[in-house]
Amino acid sequence: MSDIVVTPLKRPKDGRARKTGSVREKRLVNSRGKTVRVLSLDANSATFIDDLTLVFEKNVAKARRENKRVVGSADGSGK
């Protein structure tokens, strides 16, 4: 049986963005003429897990900013 190890995620200490590996960012124009950002990643990348985590974190941060703007609370509850 294997041991479970719990450690904190490693984050850059100086606030720099971490290296993105295979994550690619494209800016596209949607049908309404608004510029949108599309993040994509390579499923065969050696850094797939880190890349997926990065994209997930960016999506959550964007959703929280939008909730804060619309509802007034980052968690979307309005409280």
Side-chain angles (χ1 to χ4, degrees), residues 3-24:
D3 294 330
I4 297 174
V5 178
V6 178
T7 60
L9 295 174
K10 294 178 180 159
R11 307 238 181 225
K13 293 182 181 179
D14 60 0
R16 288 180 294 126
R18 51 186 181 187
K19 193 171 182 179
T20 58
S22 68
V23 176
R24 300 292 177 249

Side-chain angles (χ1 to χ4, degrees), residues 3 7 21-22 24 27-29 33 37-38 62 66 79:
D3 294 330
T7 60
S22 68
R24 300 292 177 249
R27 296 197 182 263
L28 305 172
V29 179
R37 182 179 68 170
V38 176
K62 181 179 177 183
E66 181 68 12
K79 294 181 181 179

Side-chain angles (χ1 to χ4, degrees), residues 13-51:
K13 293 182 181 179
D14 60 0
R16 288 180 294 126
R18 51 186 181 187
K19 193 171 182 179
T20 58
S22 68
V23 176
R24 300 292 177 249
E25 178 178 328
K26 297 177 189 176
R27 296 197 182 263
L28 305 172
V29 179
N30 66 10
S31 60
R32 295 181 180 176
K34 183 178 178 183
T35 302
V36 293
R37 182 179 68 170
V38 176
L39 297 172
S40 63
L41 53 109
D42 180 10
N44 295 321
S45 170
T47 59
F48 178 76
I49 293 173
D50 294 331
D51 297 342

